[in-house]
Coordinates of all heavy atoms in Angstrom, one line a residue:
I26 N -112.5 225.9 87.4 CA -111.6 225.2 86.6 C -112.2 224.0 86.1 O -112.1 223.6 84.8 CB -110.2 224.9 87.1 CG1 -109.5 226.3 87.4 CG2 -109.3 224.1 86.2 CD1 -108.3 226.3 88.3
A27 N -112.8 223.2 86.9 CA -113.4 222.0 86.6 C -114.6 222.2 85.6 O -114.7 221.5 84.6 CB -113.9 221.2 87.9
N28 N -115.3 223.3 85.9 CA -116.4 223.6 85.0 C -116.0 224.1 83.7 O -116.5 223.7 82.6 CB -117.3 224.7 85.6 CG -118.2 224.1 86.7 OD1 -118.4 222.9 86.9 ND2 -118.6 225.0 87.6
Q29 N -114.8 224.8 83.6 CA -114.3 225.3 82.4 C -113.7 224.1 81.5 O -113.9 224.0 80.3 CB -113.0 226.2 82.5 CG -113.5 227.4 83.1 CD -112.3 228.4 83.5 OE1 -111.2 227.9 83.7 NE2 -112.6 229.7 83.3
R30 N -113.2 223.1 82.1 CA -112.6 221.9 81.4 C -113.9 221.1 80.8 O -113.9 220.6 79.7 CB -111.9 221.1 82.3 CG -110.6 221.5 82.6 CD -109.7 220.6 83.5 NE -108.5 221.2 83.8 CZ -107.7 220.8 84.9 NH1 -108.1 219.9 85.7 NH2 -106.5 221.3 85.1
K31 N -114.9 221.0 81.7 CA -116.1 220.2 81.3 C -116.7 220.9 80.1 O -117.2 220.2 79.2 CB -117.1 220.1 82.6 CG -118.2 219.0 82.4 CD -119.0 218.8 83.6 CE -118.3 218.2 84.6 NZ -119.3 217.9 85.8
D32 N -116.9 222.2 80.2 CA -117.4 223.0 79.1 C -116.7 222.8 77.8 O -117.1 222.6 76.8 CB -117.6 224.4 79.5 CG -118.3 225.3 78.5 OD1 -119.4 225.0 78.1 OD2 -117.7 226.3 78.0
F33 N -115.3 223.0 77.9 CA -114.5 222.8 76.7 C -114.6 221.4 76.0 O -114.7 221.3 75.0 CB -113.0 223.1 77.2 CG -112.0 222.6 76.0 CD1 -111.9 223.5 74.9 CD2 -111.3 221.5 76.0 CE1 -111.0 223.2 74.0 CE2 -110.5 221.2 75.0 CZ -110.3 222.1 74.0
Q34 N -114.6 220.4 77.0 CA -114.7 219.0 76.4 C -116.1 218.8 75.8 O -116.2 218.2 74.7 CB -114.5 218.0 77.6 CG -113.1 217.9 78.2 CD -113.0 217.1 79.4 OE1 -114.0 216.7 80.1 NE2 -111.8 216.9 79.8
F35 N -117.2 219.4 76.4 CA -118.5 219.2 75.8 C -118.5 220.0 74.4 O -119.0 219.4 73.4 CB -119.5 219.8 76.7 CG -120.9 219.9 76.0 CD1 -121.7 218.7 76.0 CD2 -121.4 221.1 75.5 CE1 -123.0 218.7 75.4 CE2 -122.6 221.1 74.9 CZ -123.4 219.9 74.9
K36 N -118.0 221.2 74.3 CA -118.0 221.9 73.0 C -117.1 221.2 72.0 O -117.5 221.1 70.9 CB -117.5 223.3 73.3 CG -118.5 224.2 74.0 CD -117.9 225.6 74.2 CE -119.0 226.5 75.0 NZ -118.4 227.8 75.4
L37 N -116.0 220.7 72.4 CA -115.2 220.0 71.5 C -115.8 218.7 70.9 O -115.9 218.4 69.7 CB -113.8 219.6 72.1 CG -112.8 218.9 71.1 CD1 -112.4 219.6 70.0 CD2 -111.6 218.5 72.0
A38 N -116.4 217.8 71.8 CA -117.1 216.7 71.4 C -118.3 217.0 70.5 O -118.6 216.4 69.5 CB -117.6 215.9 72.6
N39 N -119.1 218.1 70.8 CA -120.2 218.5 70.1 C -119.8 218.9 68.7 O -120.4 218.6 67.7 CB -120.9 219.6 70.8 CG -122.3 219.9 70.3 OD1 -122.8 219.0 69.7 ND2 -122.7 221.1 70.4
D40 N -118.6 219.7 68.6 CA -118.1 220.1 67.2 C -117.7 218.9 66.3 O -118.0 218.8 65.2 CB -116.9 221.0 67.4 CG -117.3 222.4 67.9 OD1 -118.5 222.7 67.7 OD2 -116.4 223.2 68.3
I41 N -117.1 217.9 67.0 CA -116.6 216.7 66.3 C -117.8 215.9 65.8 O -117.9 215.5 64.6 CB -115.7 215.9 67.3 CG1 -114.4 216.5 67.5 CG2 -115.4 214.5 66.6 CD1 -113.5 215.9 68.5
C42 N -118.8 215.8 66.6 CA -120.0 215.1 66.3 C -120.7 215.7 65.2 O -121.3 215.0 64.3 CB -120.9 214.9 67.5 SG -120.3 213.6 68.7
K43 N -120.7 217.1 65.1 CA -121.4 217.8 64.0 C -120.7 217.6 62.7 O -121.2 217.6 61.6 CB -121.6 219.2 64.4 CG -122.7 219.5 65.3 CD -122.8 221.0 65.7 CE -123.7 221.3 66.7 NZ -123.8 222.8 67.0
K44 N -119.3 217.6 62.9 CA -118.4 217.6 61.5 C -118.3 216.2 60.9 O -118.3 216.2 59.7 CB -117.1 218.0 61.9 CG -116.2 218.4 60.9 CD -114.9 218.8 61.3 CE -114.8 220.2 61.6 NZ -113.4 220.8 61.9
Y45 N -118.4 215.1 61.7 CA -118.1 213.9 61.1 C -119.4 212.9 61.4 O -120.0 212.9 62.4 CB -117.0 213.2 61.8 CG -115.7 214.0 61.5 CD1 -115.1 214.8 62.6 CD2 -115.0 214.1 60.3 CE1 -114.1 215.6 62.4 CE2 -114.0 214.8 60.0 CZ -113.4 215.6 61.1 OH -112.3 216.3 61.0
A46 N -119.6 212.0 60.4 CA -120.8 211.1 60.5 C -120.3 209.8 61.3 O -121.2 209.2 62.0 CB -121.3 210.7 59.1
L47 N -119.0 209.6 61.2 CA -118.6 208.3 61.9 C -117.3 208.7 62.6 O -116.4 209.3 62.0 CB -118.3 207.2 60.8 CG -117.8 205.9 61.5 CD1 -118.8 205.2 62.3 CD2 -117.4 204.9 60.2
I48 N -117.2 208.2 63.9 CA -116.0 208.4 64.7 C -115.5 207.0 65.2 O -116.3 206.3 65.7 CB -116.4 209.3 65.9 CG1 -116.9 210.6 65.4 CG2 -115.1 209.6 66.8 CD1 -117.5 211.5 66.6
C49 N -114.3 206.8 64.9 CA -113.7 205.5 65.4 C -112.6 205.9 66.4 O -111.9 206.8 66.2 CB -113.1 204.8 64.3 SG -114.3 204.3 62.9
I50 N -112.5 204.9 67.3 CA -111.5 205.1 68.4 C -110.5 203.8 68.4 O -111.1 202.7 68.3 CB -112.1 205.2 69.9 CG1 -113.0 206.5 69.9 CG2 -111.0 205.3 70.8 CD1 -113.8 206.6 71.1
E51 N -109.3 204.1 68.4 CA -108.4 202.9 68.3 C -107.5 202.9 69.5 O -107.0 203.8 70.1 CB -107.3 203.0 67.1 CG -106.5 202.0 66.9 CD -105.7 202.1 65.6 OE1 -105.8 203.0 65.0 OE2 -105.0 201.1 65.3
D52 N -107.4 201.7 70.2 CA -106.6 201.5 71.4 C -105.2 201.0 71.0 O -105.1 199.8 70.6 CB -107.4 200.5 72.3 CG -106.6 200.4 73.7 OD1 -105.8 201.2 73.9 OD2 -106.9 199.4 74.3
L53 N -104.2 201.9 71.1 CA -102.9 201.4 70.7 C -102.1 201.0 71.8 O -102.1 201.5 72.9 CB -102.1 202.6 70.0 CG -102.9 203.1 68.6 CD1 -102.1 204.4 68.2 CD2 -102.9 202.1 67.6
N54 N -101.2 200.0 71.6 CA -100.3 199.5 72.6 C -98.9 200.1 72.2 O -98.0 199.7 71.6 CB -100.2 197.9 72.5 CG -99.3 197.4 73.5 OD1 -98.7 198.2 74.4 ND2 -99.0 196.1 73.5
I55 N -98.8 201.4 72.8 CA -97.5 202.1 72.5 C -96.3 201.4 73.1 O -95.3 201.4 72.3 CB -97.8 203.6 73.2 CG1 -99.0 204.2 72.5 CG2 -96.5 204.5 72.9 CD1 -99.0 204.5 71.1
K56 N -96.4 200.9 74.3 CA -95.2 200.3 74.8 C -94.8 199.0 73.9 O -93.5 198.8 73.6 CB -95.5 199.8 76.2 CG -95.5 200.9 77.1 CD -95.6 200.5 78.6 CE -95.7 201.7 79.6 NZ -95.8 201.3 81.0
G57 N -95.8 198.3 73.4 CA -95.4 197.2 72.5 C -94.9 197.7 71.2 O -93.9 197.0 70.7
M58 N -95.4 198.8 70.6 CA -94.9 199.4 69.4 C -93.4 199.8 69.7 O -92.6 199.6 68.8 CB -95.7 200.4 68.9 CG -97.1 200.0 68.6 SD -98.3 201.4 68.3 CE -97.5 202.2 66.9
Q59 N -93.1 200.5 70.7 CA -91.9 200.9 71.0 C -90.9 199.8 71.2 O -89.7 199.8 70.6 CB -91.8 201.8 72.3 CG -92.4 203.1 72.2 CD -92.5 203.9 73.5 OE1 -92.5 203.3 74.6 NE2 -92.6 205.1 73.4
K60 N -91.3 198.7 71.8 CA -90.4 197.5 72.0 C -90.0 196.9 70.7 O -88.9 196.6 70.5 CB -91.1 196.5 72.9 CG -90.2 195.3 73.2 CD -91.1 194.3 74.1 CE -90.4 193.1 74.3 NZ -91.1 192.1 75.0
R61 N -91.1 196.8 69.7 CA -90.8 196.2 68.5 C -89.9 197.1 67.7 O -89.0 196.6 67.0 CB -92.0 196.0 67.7 CG -92.8 194.7 68.2 CD -94.0 194.5 67.4 NE -94.8 195.5 68.0 CZ -96.2 195.4 68.0 NH1 -96.7 194.5 67.3 NH2 -97.0 196.3 68.4
W62 N -90.0 198.5 67.8 CA -89.1 199.3 67.0 C -87.6 199.2 67.6 O -86.7 199.2 66.7 CB -89.7 200.7 67.2 CG -88.7 201.8 66.4 CD1 -88.9 202.1 65.2 CD2 -87.8 202.5 66.9 NE1 -88.1 202.9 64.8 CE2 -87.2 203.2 65.9 CE3 -87.0 202.6 68.1 CZ2 -86.1 204.1 66.0 CZ3 -85.9 203.4 68.3 CH2 -85.4 204.2 67.1
V63 N -87.6 199.0 68.9 CA -86.1 199.0 69.4 C -85.6 197.7 69.0 O -84.4 197.7 68.5 CB -86.2 199.1 70.9 CG1 -84.8 198.7 71.6 CG2 -86.6 200.5 71.4
E64 N -86.3 196.6 69.0 CA -85.9 195.3 68.5 C -85.5 195.3 67.1 O -84.4 194.9 66.6 CB -86.9 194.2 68.7 CG -87.1 193.9 70.2 CD -88.3 192.9 70.4 OE1 -89.0 192.7 69.4 OE2 -88.5 192.6 71.6
K65 N -86.2 195.9 66.2 CA -85.8 196.1 64.8 C -84.5 196.9 64.6 O -83.7 196.5 63.7 CB -87.0 196.7 63.9 CG -88.1 195.8 63.7 CD -89.3 196.5 63.0 CE -90.4 195.6 62.8 NZ -91.4 196.2 62.0
Y66 N -84.5 198.0 65.4 CA -83.3 198.9 65.3 C -82.1 198.1 65.8 O -81.0 198.2 65.0 CB -83.5 200.1 66.1 CG -82.3 201.0 66.2 CD1 -82.1 201.8 65.0 CD2 -81.5 201.1 67.3 CE1 -81.0 202.7 65.1 CE2 -80.5 202.0 67.3 CZ -80.2 202.8 66.1 OH -79.2 203.7 66.2
L67 N -82.1 197.3 66.8 CA -80.9 196.6 67.3 C -80.5 195.5 66.3 O -79.4 195.3 66.1 CB -81.2 196.0 68.6 CG -81.5 197.0 69.9 CD1 -81.8 196.4 71.1 CD2 -80.1 197.8 69.9
I68 N -81.5 194.8 65.7 CA -81.2 193.8 64.7 C -80.5 194.5 63.6 O -79.6 193.9 63.0 CB -82.5 193.1 64.3 CG1 -83.0 192.2 65.5 CG2 -82.3 192.2 63.1 CD1 -84.4 191.6 65.4
S69 N -81.0 195.5 63.0 CA -80.4 196.2 62.0 C -78.9 196.6 62.2 O -78.1 196.5 61.4 CB -81.2 197.5 61.4 OG -81.1 198.5 62.5
I70 N -78.6 197.0 63.4 CA -77.3 197.3 63.8 C -76.4 196.1 63.9 O -75.3 196.1 63.4 CB -77.2 198.1 65.2 CG1 -77.9 199.4 65.1 CG2 -75.8 198.3 65.8 CD1 -78.1 200.2 66.4
V71 N -76.9 195.0 64.5 CA -76.2 193.9 64.5 C -75.9 193.3 63.2 O -74.7 192.7 62.9 CB -76.9 192.8 65.5 CG1 -76.3 191.4 65.4 CG2 -76.9 193.4 66.9

């Protein structure tokens, strides 16, 4: 199973690299985004 996962990840990464010239990775703060959304929602209710 570990080898199958590794093989899949390699093939997927290889396909992505062949398809796109530039790959960007973004680190999102999901908990912070959720907190702000809840705050905006509560303010709109009040």
